[in-house]
Structure formats: C-alpha cells, structure tokens
Amino acid sequence: MPVVLTDLAEGILTVTVNRPEKLNALNAEVIEELRRVFHEAKSNAEVGALVLTGAGEKAFVAGADISGFPSLTPVDARDFARKGQAVLDLLEKMGKPSIAAVNGFALGGGCELAMACSMRVAASNARFGQPEVALGLIPGYAGTQRLPRLVGKGRALELILTGDPIPAEEALRIGLVNRVVEPAELIPTCRALAAKILGKAPLAVRYALEAVNHGLELPFDEAELHEAALFGLCVATEDMKEGVSAFLGKRPAKFAGK
Ligand code: COA
C-alpha cells in the first residue's frame, strides 16, 4: 500500500498520508514520497490547490517516526531535519494554496506539516502539539520558526516547552487553525475553501502567496517594494484585464491564468 495517496479532482489534489496503523507517522519513505508529490504538483498545471490529510479517523500525522530515532547519529539527525524542512518549504513556497484538513492528532512533525500549509481546518476532535521535549528533542521541521510566526512567541514557547497538546477549539482561539468543523464536514469544508480560491485569478493567488510568504521574512520596507513589484506584475496579466472588465461589465470573470 502506498504511504502517500493522491487524488486529483476539479483542480484540487488531495494528498493523504497513509500509515494509519502508526498514526501516519512520518518515516523516511513518507517524507520522500511527499517530496515527490509536492515537486510534481508544483509543475502540474492541472493542480490548482492542495488538501492535505491523514488516513484513518484518529490522526492527521502523529509526528516523525520515533522508531528510527535510537539509531540516528548526529549527522543523520541533521540530515533528517534538513530534508523535512526542505519538503515543507517546497509545500509552502509552491505558489499554490494548500489546506491542511486536520482529522485528529497533529503532533510534532504533523503540526509542522500543517503549519507549512497556507491554511488549517481542524475537525473538532483534532489535537495539536509539539511534544519533542518529552523525548529529549526539539522540533526539527521548522516548528520553532513557523509556530511563533502563527501564534506569537509566548504561546509558541508554551507549546514547545511544555509539550502539552491542545484541542481544536484552543488552536482556533490562538490562531493556529482557521476553522473548526465537525469531522464529517472536514473534507467538504476544505474542498469548498480550495474551490473558492480556484475561482480567483491564478496568477494573483500565486503572487499573493509569494508576497506574504516571502515578504514576512524581509525587512518591512523591502517587503513593501516586493509587494509593489508583484502588484505591478499583476497589471500585466490578462487576468487583471478580465477581472476589472468583468467587474465594470457586471458579469462573472473568467480567468485563464495568463
Ligand atoms: N512514531 C512512531 N510510531 C508512532 C508514533 C510516532 N510518532 N505515534 C504513534 N505511533 C504508533 C504507536 O507506537 C502505536 O504502534 P503499535 O500499535 O505498533 O504499538 C500506534 O502508532 C498507535 O499509537 P498508540 O500510542 O497506541 O495510540 P494512542 O491512542 O494510545 O496514543 C498518541 C496516541 C498520539 C498520544 C501517541 O501515539 C503518541 O504520543 N505518539 C507520539 C507523539 C510524538 O511524540 N510525536 C512527536 C515525535 S518527534
């Protein structure tokens, strides 16, 4: 059975981590498979958005696979962290929106994977956490960086230093997730969100993602310059002409992604 399942329908690629018997823990095979899937999704024009989830009813992803940890050398562990970071960076910087459909435990690398998505929707039974300190470790897939950027330094440090998991409603309260829905509504909600974005101008969506993701790492005035350059680039697109003329003509826009 493949460790990552994919399904492409109506421009939305659903990516499912498929090791339910191990709560979808990320081993080397899953990480490599996710790298391959994200790499292909980036260049596949049929893919407009991604929804990420975990197989089974219990977990999104319960973390990196702990069973491989006892044999790691420091050099292996550094490589393990760098590879996971690169795969999550590939997802975040793909230029296409991604939505984590968090259907249960999102712990350690699972929380980090969800945070690399553009947005997170949680089922009401989801739990989030960075429990690495209980194992004598720290987050290694950029959790120490993305978590404080999403929820603020104090809340991120509480999660990272105590290792305590939090329920979906608390994740919503601190801004770690965008919405909480009943489990049965999780995938339909994520697909509806993705479909709404797919109805907008694809290049504008790509540049908006880039302006936020890249701009947040720049000094403010340089991020403004970067934003203005992308704004200028939008004006050169057919989609901008179509969007404006559709608005003025009081008709729905039809975007070509050009
Ligand atoms: N790595 C490897 N295996 C894992 C795993 C992980 N991160 N998380 C769960 N599993 C495995 C368990 O070892 C168990 O395997 P087994 O049936 O062969 O014994 C199986 O998944 C089911 O997990 P189990 O612990 O029995 O389920 P539970 O409902 O009692 O507890 C959790 C669920 C999520 C609380 C618990 O599995 C857990 O704490 N997992 C580790 C979370 C973690 O520390 N992640 C960060 C890693 S850096």
Side-chain angles (χ1 to χ4, degrees), residues 19-26 58-59 61-69 105 107-110 112 129-132 134-135 137-138:
R19 293 184 77 211
E21 71 290 352
K22 295 291 178 190
L23 305 188
N24 304 318
L26 304 173
K58 219 169 147 183
V61 166
D65 193 318
I66 300 169
S67 66
F69 287 2
F105 290 111
L107 302 176
E112 290 168 306
Q130 296 290 160
E132 289 88 347
L135 300 168
L137 288 166
I138 65 170

Side-chain angles (χ1 to χ4, degrees), residues 176-192:
L176 180 52
V177 302
N178 298 67
R179 299 182 190 188
V180 177
V181 298
E182 287 311 308
E185 291 306 311
L186 183 63
I187 296 296
T189 302
C190 292
R191 290 188 63 84

Side-chain angles (χ1 to χ4, degrees), residues 6-27:
T6 54
D7 172 60
L8 178 58
E10 292 159 358
I12 303 167
L13 183 72
T14 302
V15 179
T16 306
V17 179
N18 186 37
R19 293 184 77 211
E21 71 290 352
K22 295 291 178 190
L23 305 188
N24 304 318
L26 304 173
N27 61 11

